[in-house]
Amino acid sequence: MELTHVATPPESMLERAVRAGPGELLWLGAEPFEVRCEPSVSTGLLKIVAVAEGEGVIVQAGRRALLREGTFAWFQSDTPFELTMSRGRRLLLRLPLSAVQQRHPGVDLRTAVTRGEEHAGERVVAGLLRQILSESSSLSERDCVAAVGVVLEAIGMCGRAPALPQARVERALADIERRLGDPTLQPADVARAQGVSRRYLDGVMAEQLGCSLAAHIRRRRLERAASELSLRPLEAVSEVAARWGFRDTSHFTRLFRGHFATTPAVYRRAALDHHMRTCGGGGRTADAASPARGSSAAG
């Protein structure tokens, strides 16, 4: 099996290639091939491989799809995969993954799943792909653009993404908690780890938590930062903010004020005053609060 780090068929395998609107149509040659791809460059593509003659197997993300005549499957260009094809006729359609997710957020985009047999909508998509494949020599570039647009719309007829089990939602929340201090944490990372689109997971989170992924991450970071402001009176506000993913202290202060209706420095002083009163600190309140006043310039 040939190993490659570029998820693009070599020209020797192509009968025809046409850039069509947001995507690209590639009619593959009839020769059999086996390839294992470990991508070294991110392209953000969703690839649809359709078979009109022969058979194939695609392996990705722990799943294995058997491609028979009249079926198709999709796979992602940025994740390692294996693709084996016998002699036959096949079509490859490349689309931006983000475009598919935005247009059809609820569609099942699990890769390496055989499609076009049981689900009525997927049979329609399989028929469209098969027709495009058979009309290779007849379709103009303008026709190809229209064909890609039709397929992109028709993907909405495919099966819906399986309901996200509660256990996976809890894993997503636990993953967020573990990485709250990582400034590079993005909602798309959390969704990708659960095998769904960000938009889909946003919808699930909105139903269960009343807010999007990004809003939940921001809220939990602010809450953790607020807790540390109370517990670490001598530490600068900027240091607390940075530890919880806020590199820009001014931005942190604006977000903090929006959530708590006060600034970090005032919040800290109020927390210290409350602590001193409840602990019977009496006259030591002003002294204990003074470090917070000294750090208020950072908040």
Side-chain angles (χ1 to χ4, degrees), residues 222 253-264 266-267:
L222 289 169
T253 299
R254 286 193 297 272
L255 293 176
F256 195 97
R257 186 195 296 273
H259 187 71
F260 292 102
T262 187
T263 66
V266 173
Y267 180 94

Side-chain angles (χ1 to χ4, degrees), residues 10-28:
E11 290 188 8
S12 59
M13 289 177 55
L14 299 179
E15 291 184 350
R16 186 185 181 194
V18 179
R19 289 195 174 277
E24 185 175 17
L25 286 166
L26 300 99
W27 286 263
L28 304 181

